[in-house]
Amino acid sequence: MNERKLKILAAVVEEYVRTGEPVGSKAIASLPDIGVSAATVRNDMAMLEQLGYLEQPHTSAGRVPTISGYRLYIEELMRPPALPDAERERLDDMLEAQGPLTEELLIQNATTALAELTQCAAVVSDFSPKFSVISKVEVIPAGRRVYVVLLITSGGSIKNKACRLEFDLTNEQLDTFSDYLSKNLEGVSVADLSDERMANLTAAMSAYMMTMAPLVQGICEISRDLRQHALMFRGEKNLFSCEDLDKMEVVRFIEHKDELVKLLDDSFSGIRVMFGEGGDSFVIGNSSMIVSKYRKGEQNVGSLGVIGPMRLDYAKVIPYLEYFSQKITDLISEQSAEDPPPAPDGKNDV
């Protein structure tokens, strides 16, 4: 694999991405930076095929990249351009389209923007709530014998659950229960809201407090919900308009997309590219998924990804993904630094 063969491989990948047609030696030889005859290119392409980086769909056709060819291109040959300042400003406008940014809004906006910019599907797996702490717990009357349990985390997550009791609470009962929840839950890490902890919390209540079991159950359900990894998609319809993908495989993928959580959350650093056939486990043939982590401080707390055809303009898509991942990392790390640490008794100082 000398420099010329690597240059020819990169040219084949980029030409195939641009046209969608098998690439011949004459097309590559005509490029200004190749500088050798079509015969030489043809010989080098034949060698690249023997090495497993190119393949020939038909005997009379040109060649297309294999998964190994794409991998080598992405890891060593691709030279993505830096995003110009004007483009960065446009991306920032897309992120801030709905006003001041919270962590959840930024993640939603980044996923929507990625789908729009790439015309692929964009996905985010967010498990940062479990690294937050409970900042507020409230019980709010919402009608006859109906009360809403409201829980807010330091990461900006807001969860609520409507609960029906067998009686209306007096103001004294409501205040007593709310104070009990605040004392035992505010300042507690979401990751620590285990079923065992919640069971112990319930058992510690007196018989008087046990009459509010539906409210306690509501808190337990909310805590389990917060500990789950949130999976959000945008632009699934873009997959149906992609000629390179089988429509029935896309349908099956959308029906079982929650199975992506493990792939998205596998630990790694930098950009990771997975393909829909040959080594990597993925559910749409001839597809690729590009994933980047975002962090809170030094801790990985989520994954942002793009799903599209294998014939994807990686040099264009990856800088967008890197930019949005870094913006999310910067914002949630700044917000985390501004959060006051829990007081020794488990509650935040006011």
Side-chain angles (χ1 to χ4, degrees), residues 116-170:
E116 180 181 335
L117 289 163
T118 63
Q119 289 300 293
C120 295
V123 59
V124 61
S125 175
D126 178 22
F127 46 100
S128 60
K130 74 176 185 179
F131 296 102
S132 303
V133 300
I134 306 302
S135 58
K136 191 174 185 62
V137 184
E138 283 191 52
V139 181
I140 305 169
R144 181 176 170 80
R145 299 181 181 178
V146 177
Y147 295 83
V148 173
V149 177
L150 178 69
L151 191 149
I152 303 174
T153 73
S154 60
S157 296
I158 301 174
K159 300 289 183 181
N160 62 80
K161 178 76 176 178
C163 307
R164 181 175 294 276
L165 303 184
E166 296 181 359
F167 54 88
D168 286 314
L169 299 177
T170 66

Short mmCIF file of all heavy atoms in Angstrom, two decimals, residues 116-170:
data_model
loop_
_atom_site.label_atom_id
_atom_site.label_comp_id
_atom_site.label_asym_id
_atom_site.label_seq_id
_atom_site.Cartn_x
_atom_site.Cartn_y
_atom_site.Cartn_z
N GLU A 116 -31.62 17.30 9.77
CA GLU A 116 -31.88 18.25 8.68
C GLU A 116 -30.63 18.45 7.82
O GLU A 116 -30.70 18.46 6.59
CB GLU A 116 -32.34 19.58 9.27
CG GLU A 116 -32.63 20.64 8.23
CD GLU A 116 -33.06 21.96 8.86
OE1 GLU A 116 -33.58 21.94 9.99
OE2 GLU A 116 -32.86 23.02 8.23
N LEU A 117 -29.48 18.59 8.45
CA LEU A 117 -28.25 18.87 7.72
C LEU A 117 -27.76 17.68 6.90
O LEU A 117 -27.23 17.84 5.80
CB LEU A 117 -27.15 19.29 8.70
CG LEU A 117 -27.31 20.66 9.36
CD1 LEU A 117 -26.41 20.75 10.58
CD2 LEU A 117 -26.98 21.78 8.38
N THR A 118 -27.92 16.48 7.44
CA THR A 118 -27.38 15.29 6.79
C THR A 118 -28.40 14.57 5.92
O THR A 118 -28.02 13.71 5.12
CB THR A 118 -26.86 14.30 7.84
OG1 THR A 118 -27.96 13.86 8.66
CG2 THR A 118 -25.80 14.96 8.72
N GLN A 119 -29.69 14.90 6.11
CA GLN A 119 -30.77 14.16 5.44
C GLN A 119 -30.70 12.67 5.76
O GLN A 119 -31.01 11.82 4.92
CB GLN A 119 -30.74 14.41 3.93
CG GLN A 119 -31.17 15.81 3.53
CD GLN A 119 -32.61 16.12 3.98
OE1 GLN A 119 -33.57 15.52 3.50
NE2 GLN A 119 -32.74 17.05 4.93
N CYS A 120 -30.28 12.37 6.97
CA CYS A 120 -30.26 11.01 7.50
C CYS A 120 -31.11 10.99 8.76
O CYS A 120 -31.78 11.97 9.10
CB CYS A 120 -28.82 10.59 7.83
SG CYS A 120 -27.73 10.47 6.39
N ALA A 121 -31.11 9.88 9.46
CA ALA A 121 -31.74 9.82 10.77
C ALA A 121 -30.69 10.21 11.82
O ALA A 121 -29.52 9.86 11.70
CB ALA A 121 -32.27 8.42 11.05
N ALA A 122 -31.12 10.94 12.82
CA ALA A 122 -30.23 11.30 13.93
C ALA A 122 -30.80 10.71 15.21
O ALA A 122 -32.01 10.65 15.40
CB ALA A 122 -30.12 12.82 14.04
N VAL A 123 -29.91 10.26 16.07
CA VAL A 123 -30.33 9.58 17.29
C VAL A 123 -29.46 10.06 18.44
O VAL A 123 -28.28 10.36 18.27
CB VAL A 123 -30.23 8.05 17.14
CG1 VAL A 123 -28.81 7.63 16.79
CG2 VAL A 123 -30.72 7.32 18.37
N VAL A 124 -30.07 10.14 19.62
CA VAL A 124 -29.31 10.49 20.82
C VAL A 124 -29.74 9.55 21.94
O VAL A 124 -30.92 9.24 22.11
CB VAL A 124 -29.53 11.96 21.24
CG1 VAL A 124 -30.97 12.25 21.58
CG2 VAL A 124 -28.63 12.33 22.41
N SER A 125 -28.75 9.02 22.65
CA SER A 125 -28.99 8.24 23.85
C SER A 125 -28.45 9.05 25.01
O SER A 125 -27.25 9.31 25.09
CB SER A 125 -28.28 6.89 23.77
OG SER A 125 -28.41 6.19 24.99
N ASP A 126 -29.36 9.47 25.88
CA ASP A 126 -28.99 10.39 26.95
C ASP A 126 -29.12 9.67 28.28
O ASP A 126 -30.23 9.35 28.71
CB ASP A 126 -29.91 11.62 26.91
CG ASP A 126 -29.61 12.61 28.03
OD1 ASP A 126 -28.49 12.57 28.56
OD2 ASP A 126 -30.50 13.39 28.39
N PHE A 127 -27.99 9.40 28.92
CA PHE A 127 -28.07 8.83 30.26
C PHE A 127 -27.48 9.78 31.30
O PHE A 127 -27.09 9.38 32.39
CB PHE A 127 -27.38 7.46 30.33
CG PHE A 127 -26.03 7.36 29.69
CD1 PHE A 127 -24.88 7.42 30.44
CD2 PHE A 127 -25.92 7.17 28.33
CE1 PHE A 127 -23.63 7.31 29.85
CE2 PHE A 127 -24.67 7.06 27.72
CZ PHE A 127 -23.53 7.13 28.49
N SER A 128 -27.48 11.09 30.96
CA SER A 128 -26.97 12.07 31.92
C SER A 128 -27.88 12.28 33.13
O SER A 128 -27.38 12.65 34.19
CB SER A 128 -26.72 13.41 31.23
OG SER A 128 -27.90 13.93 30.67
N PRO A 129 -29.24 12.09 33.02
CA PRO A 129 -30.06 12.31 34.21
C PRO A 129 -29.58 11.53 35.43
O PRO A 129 -29.70 11.99 36.56
CB PRO A 129 -31.46 11.86 33.76
CG PRO A 129 -31.48 12.15 32.31
CD PRO A 129 -30.09 11.83 31.84
N LYS A 130 -29.03 10.32 35.22
CA LYS A 130 -28.63 9.53 36.38
C LYS A 130 -27.41 10.13 37.09
O LYS A 130 -27.08 9.73 38.19
CB LYS A 130 -28.36 8.08 35.97
CG LYS A 130 -27.06 7.85 35.22
CD LYS A 130 -26.88 6.36 34.97
CE LYS A 130 -25.53 6.07 34.32
NZ LYS A 130 -25.31 4.63 34.09
N PHE A 131 -26.75 11.11 36.44
CA PHE A 131 -25.63 11.79 37.09
C PHE A 131 -26.07 13.08 37.77
O PHE A 131 -25.27 13.79 38.34
CB PHE A 131 -24.52 12.08 36.07
CG PHE A 131 -23.90 10.84 35.49
CD1 PHE A 131 -24.24 10.40 34.23
CD2 PHE A 131 -22.99 10.11 36.22
CE1 PHE A 131 -23.68 9.25 33.70
CE2 PHE A 131 -22.42 8.96 35.70
CZ PHE A 131 -22.78 8.53 34.43
N SER A 132 -27.38 13.39 37.68
CA SER A 132 -27.91 14.58 38.32
C SER A 132 -28.33 14.26 39.75
O SER A 132 -28.35 13.10 40.18
CB SER A 132 -29.12 15.10 37.54
OG SER A 132 -28.80 15.37 36.20
N VAL A 133 -28.68 15.30 40.48
CA VAL A 133 -29.25 15.12 41.82
C VAL A 133 -30.66 15.69 41.82
O VAL A 133 -31.02 16.53 40.98
CB VAL A 133 -28.40 15.81 42.91
CG1 VAL A 133 -27.01 15.25 42.96
CG2 VAL A 133 -28.36 17.32 42.69
N ILE A 134 -31.48 15.21 42.74
CA ILE A 134 -32.84 15.72 42.88
C ILE A 134 -32.76 17.12 43.50
O ILE A 134 -32.24 17.29 44.60
CB ILE A 134 -33.69 14.80 43.78
CG1 ILE A 134 -33.64 13.36 43.27
CG2 ILE A 134 -35.13 15.31 43.84
CD1 ILE A 134 -34.11 13.18 41.86
N SER A 135 -33.24 18.11 42.78
CA SER A 135 -33.18 19.48 43.29
C SER A 135 -34.50 19.93 43.89
O SER A 135 -34.53 20.86 44.70
CB SER A 135 -32.76 20.45 42.17
OG SER A 135 -33.67 20.38 41.08
N LYS A 136 -35.61 19.29 43.52
CA LYS A 136 -36.91 19.72 44.07
C LYS A 136 -37.92 18.58 43.97
O LYS A 136 -37.98 17.87 42.96
CB LYS A 136 -37.44 20.94 43.32
CG LYS A 136 -38.64 21.61 43.97
CD LYS A 136 -38.98 22.90 43.24
CE LYS A 136 -40.10 23.67 43.93
NZ LYS A 136 -39.75 24.08 45.29
N VAL A 137 -38.70 18.40 45.02
CA VAL A 137 -39.81 17.44 45.04
C VAL A 137 -41.04 18.16 45.56
O VAL A 137 -40.97 18.83 46.61
CB VAL A 137 -39.51 16.22 45.94
CG1 VAL A 137 -40.65 15.21 45.85
CG2 VAL A 137 -38.20 15.57 45.56
N GLU A 138 -42.14 18.06 44.84
CA GLU A 138 -43.38 18.71 45.26
C GLU A 138 -44.56 17.76 45.08
O GLU A 138 -44.54 16.89 44.22
CB GLU A 138 -43.65 19.98 44.43
CG GLU A 138 -42.83 21.18 44.81
CD GLU A 138 -43.35 22.44 44.15
OE1 GLU A 138 -44.56 22.71 44.26
OE2 GLU A 138 -42.55 23.13 43.50
N VAL A 139 -45.58 17.96 45.92
CA VAL A 139 -46.86 17.28 45.75
C VAL A 139 -47.91 18.37 45.57
O VAL A 139 -48.10 19.22 46.45
CB VAL A 139 -47.20 16.39 46.95
CG1 VAL A 139 -48.53 15.69 46.73
CG2 VAL A 139 -46.10 15.37 47.18
N ILE A 140 -48.58 18.37 44.42
CA ILE A 140 -49.47 19.47 44.04
C ILE A 140 -50.90 18.95 43.90
O ILE A 140 -51.14 17.99 43.14
CB ILE A 140 -49.02 20.09 42.71
CG1 ILE A 140 -47.56 20.53 42.80
CG2 ILE A 140 -49.92 21.26 42.32
CD1 ILE A 140 -46.95 20.90 41.47
N PRO A 141 -51.88 19.53 44.61
CA PRO A 141 -53.28 19.13 44.42
C PRO A 141 -53.72 19.42 42.99
O PRO A 141 -53.43 20.49 42.44
CB PRO A 141 -54.04 20.01 45.42
CG PRO A 141 -53.01 20.46 46.41
CD PRO A 141 -51.73 20.55 45.66
N ALA A 142 -54.42 18.48 42.36
CA ALA A 142 -54.82 18.64 40.96
C ALA A 142 -56.29 18.29 40.74
O ALA A 142 -56.70 18.09 39.61
CB ALA A 142 -53.95 17.77 40.06
N GLY A 143 -57.06 18.25 41.79
CA GLY A 143 -58.47 17.90 41.65
C GLY A 143 -58.91 17.05 42.82
O GLY A 143 -58.12 16.74 43.74
N ARG A 144 -60.15 16.63 42.82
CA ARG A 144 -60.69 15.83 43.91
C ARG A 144 -59.91 14.52 44.02
O ARG A 144 -59.92 13.69 43.12
CB ARG A 144 -62.17 15.56 43.65
CG ARG A 144 -62.85 14.75 44.75
CD ARG A 144 -64.34 14.62 44.45
NE ARG A 144 -64.97 13.66 45.33
CZ ARG A 144 -65.34 13.90 46.59
NH1 ARG A 144 -65.13 15.12 47.11
NH2 ARG A 144 -65.92 12.98 47.34
N ARG A 145 -59.23 14.35 45.15
CA ARG A 145 -58.46 13.16 45.47
C ARG A 145 -57.34 12.86 44.48
O ARG A 145 -56.80 11.75 44.44
CB ARG A 145 -59.38 11.92 45.58
CG ARG A 145 -60.44 12.05 46.65
CD ARG A 145 -61.30 10.80 46.71
NE ARG A 145 -62.34 10.94 47.73
CZ ARG A 145 -63.27 10.02 47.99
NH1 ARG A 145 -63.30 8.91 47.28
NH2 ARG A 145 -64.17 10.22 48.92
N VAL A 146 -56.97 13.82 43.66
CA VAL A 146 -55.90 13.65 42.68
C VAL A 146 -54.75 14.60 43.02
O VAL A 146 -54.97 15.80 43.22
CB VAL A 146 -56.38 13.91 41.24
CG1 VAL A 146 -55.22 13.79 40.25
CG2 VAL A 146 -57.49 12.92 40.86
N TYR A 147 -53.54 14.04 43.07
CA TYR A 147 -52.35 14.83 43.40
C TYR A 147 -51.24 14.49 42.40
O TYR A 147 -51.12 13.35 41.97
CB TYR A 147 -51.88 14.53 44.83
CG TYR A 147 -52.89 14.96 45.86
CD1 TYR A 147 -53.96 14.12 46.18
CD2 TYR A 147 -52.81 16.19 46.49
CE1 TYR A 147 -54.92 14.51 47.10
CE2 TYR A 147 -53.76 16.59 47.41
CZ TYR A 147 -54.82 15.75 47.71
OH TYR A 147 -55.77 16.14 48.62
N VAL A 148 -50.46 15.51 42.04
CA VAL A 148 -49.36 15.32 41.11
C VAL A 148 -48.05 15.38 41.88
O VAL A 148 -47.79 16.36 42.59
CB VAL A 148 -49.37 16.38 39.99
CG1 VAL A 148 -48.12 16.27 39.13
CG2 VAL A 148 -50.62 16.23 39.13
N VAL A 149 -47.25 14.34 41.73
CA VAL A 149 -45.91 14.33 42.29
C VAL A 149 -44.97 14.90 41.23
O VAL A 149 -44.92 14.42 40.10
CB VAL A 149 -45.47 12.90 42.66
CG1 VAL A 149 -44.03 12.93 43.18
CG2 VAL A 149 -46.40 12.31 43.69
N LEU A 150 -44.24 15.96 41.56
CA LEU A 150 -43.34 16.65 40.64
C LEU A 150 -41.92 16.49 41.14
O LEU A 150 -41.63 16.76 42.31
CB LEU A 150 -43.71 18.13 40.55
CG LEU A 150 -42.83 19.01 39.67
CD1 LEU A 150 -43.01 18.66 38.20
CD2 LEU A 150 -43.14 20.49 39.90
N LEU A 151 -41.02 16.07 40.25
CA LEU A 151 -39.63 15.88 40.61
C LEU A 151 -38.75 16.57 39.58
O LEU A 151 -38.91 16.36 38.37
CB LEU A 151 -39.32 14.38 40.69
CG LEU A 151 -37.98 13.95 41.30
CD1 LEU A 151 -38.13 12.60 41.98
CD2 LEU A 151 -36.91 13.87 40.24
N ILE A 152 -37.82 17.41 40.04
CA ILE A 152 -36.93 18.17 39.16
C ILE A 152 -35.49 17.84 39.54
O ILE A 152 -35.15 17.78 40.72
CB ILE A 152 -37.17 19.70 39.30
CG1 ILE A 152 -38.63 20.03 39.00
CG2 ILE A 152 -36.24 20.48 38.37
CD1 ILE A 152 -39.00 21.48 39.25
N THR A 153 -34.64 17.62 38.51
CA THR A 153 -33.24 17.31 38.76
C THR A 153 -32.35 18.50 38.44
O THR A 153 -32.75 19.43 37.73
CB THR A 153 -32.77 16.10 37.92
OG1 THR A 153 -32.63 16.52 36.55
CG2 THR A 153 -33.76 14.95 38.00
N SER A 154 -31.13 18.43 38.92
CA SER A 154 -30.17 19.50 38.66
C SER A 154 -29.80 19.59 37.19
O SER A 154 -29.33 20.64 36.73
CB SER A 154 -28.90 19.27 39.49
OG SER A 154 -28.31 18.02 39.15
N GLY A 155 -30.01 18.52 36.42
CA GLY A 155 -29.73 18.54 34.99
C GLY A 155 -30.85 19.13 34.16
O GLY A 155 -30.75 19.20 32.94
N GLY A 156 -31.95 19.55 34.82
CA GLY A 156 -33.05 20.17 34.09
C GLY A 156 -34.18 19.22 33.74
O GLY A 156 -35.17 19.63 33.13
N SER A 157 -34.07 17.93 34.10
CA SER A 157 -35.16 16.99 33.83
C SER A 157 -36.33 17.27 34.76
O SER A 157 -36.14 17.51 35.96
CB SER A 157 -34.69 15.54 34.02
OG SER A 157 -33.69 15.21 33.09
N ILE A 158 -37.52 17.24 34.21
CA ILE A 158 -38.75 17.45 34.98
C ILE A 158 -39.66 16.26 34.75
O ILE A 158 -40.05 15.97 33.61
CB ILE A 158 -39.46 18.75 34.57
CG1 ILE A 158 -38.53 19.95 34.78
CG2 ILE A 158 -40.75 18.94 35.37
CD1 ILE A 158 -39.10 21.27 34.27
N LYS A 159 -40.01 15.55 35.80
CA LYS A 159 -40.90 14.40 35.70
C LYS A 159 -42.08 14.59 36.64
O LYS A 159 -41.93 15.13 37.74
CB LYS A 159 -40.16 13.10 36.08
CG LYS A 159 -38.96 12.78 35.20
CD LYS A 159 -39.38 12.35 33.81
CE LYS A 159 -38.18 11.96 32.97
NZ LYS A 159 -38.57 11.55 31.60
N ASN A 160 -43.25 14.15 36.21
CA ASN A 160 -44.41 14.23 37.10
C ASN A 160 -45.28 13.00 36.93
O ASN A 160 -45.24 12.32 35.89
CB ASN A 160 -45.20 15.51 36.85
CG ASN A 160 -45.77 15.56 35.44
OD1 ASN A 160 -46.80 14.94 35.16
ND2 ASN A 160 -45.12 16.31 34.55
N LYS A 161 -46.07 12.73 37.94
CA LYS A 161 -46.95 11.56 37.95
C LYS A 161 -48.22 11.92 38.70
O LYS A 161 -48.18 12.37 39.85
CB LYS A 161 -46.25 10.39 38.63
CG LYS A 161 -47.08 9.13 38.76
CD LYS A 161 -47.17 8.41 37.44
CE LYS A 161 -47.91 7.09 37.58
NZ LYS A 161 -48.03 6.40 36.28
N ALA A 162 -49.38 11.76 38.06
CA ALA A 162 -50.68 12.00 38.70
C ALA A 162 -51.07 10.76 39.49
O ALA A 162 -50.99 9.63 38.99
CB ALA A 162 -51.72 12.33 37.66
N CYS A 163 -51.48 10.96 40.75
CA CYS A 163 -51.84 9.85 41.63
C CYS A 163 -53.21 10.11 42.24
O CYS A 163 -53.52 11.24 42.65
CB CYS A 163 -50.81 9.71 42.76
SG CYS A 163 -49.10 9.58 42.19
N ARG A 164 -54.03 9.08 42.31
CA ARG A 164 -55.36 9.20 42.92
C ARG A 164 -55.36 8.52 44.28
O ARG A 164 -54.95 7.36 44.42
CB ARG A 164 -56.41 8.56 42.02
CG ARG A 164 -57.83 8.67 42.57
CD ARG A 164 -58.85 8.12 41.59
NE ARG A 164 -58.90 8.93 40.38
CZ ARG A 164 -59.63 10.05 40.26
NH1 ARG A 164 -60.34 10.49 41.30
NH2 ARG A 164 -59.63 10.71 39.13
N LEU A 165 -55.79 9.26 45.28
CA LEU A 165 -55.89 8.73 46.64
C LEU A 165 -57.35 8.37 46.96
O LEU A 165 -58.27 8.70 46.22
CB LEU A 165 -55.38 9.76 47.66
CG LEU A 165 -53.94 10.26 47.49
CD1 LEU A 165 -53.57 11.18 48.63
CD2 LEU A 165 -52.96 9.10 47.40
N GLU A 166 -57.53 7.71 48.11
CA GLU A 166 -58.88 7.35 48.52
C GLU A 166 -59.54 8.44 49.32
O GLU A 166 -60.70 8.30 49.72
CB GLU A 166 -58.82 6.05 49.34
CG GLU A 166 -58.33 4.85 48.53
CD GLU A 166 -58.31 3.57 49.36
OE1 GLU A 166 -58.65 3.66 50.56
OE2 GLU A 166 -57.97 2.52 48.80
N PHE A 167 -58.83 9.53 49.54
CA PHE A 167 -59.37 10.64 50.33
C PHE A 167 -58.62 11.91 49.95
O PHE A 167 -57.56 11.86 49.32
CB PHE A 167 -59.20 10.37 51.84
CG PHE A 167 -57.78 10.06 52.22
CD1 PHE A 167 -56.90 11.09 52.55
CD2 PHE A 167 -57.31 8.76 52.22
CE1 PHE A 167 -55.59 10.82 52.88
CE2 PHE A 167 -55.99 8.48 52.55
CZ PHE A 167 -55.13 9.50 52.88
N ASP A 168 -59.16 13.05 50.31
CA ASP A 168 -58.47 14.33 50.12
C ASP A 168 -57.56 14.58 51.31
O ASP A 168 -57.94 14.33 52.46
CB ASP A 168 -59.48 15.47 49.97
CG ASP A 168 -60.17 15.45 48.62
OD1 ASP A 168 -59.46 15.29 47.61
OD2 ASP A 168 -61.40 15.58 48.58
N LEU A 169 -56.37 15.10 51.04
CA LEU A 169 -55.43 15.42 52.10
C LEU A 169 -55.75 16.77 52.71
O LEU A 169 -56.14 17.72 52.02
CB LEU A 169 -54.00 15.44 51.55
CG LEU A 169 -53.45 14.14 50.95
CD1 LEU A 169 -52.05 14.38 50.40
CD2 LEU A 169 -53.44 13.01 51.97
N THR A 170 -55.55 16.85 54.02
CA THR A 170 -55.62 18.16 54.65
C THR A 170 -54.34 18.91 54.35
O THR A 170 -53.33 18.33 53.93
CB THR A 170 -55.79 18.02 56.18
OG1 THR A 170 -54.59 17.42 56.70
CG2 THR A 170 -56.99 17.14 56.53
#
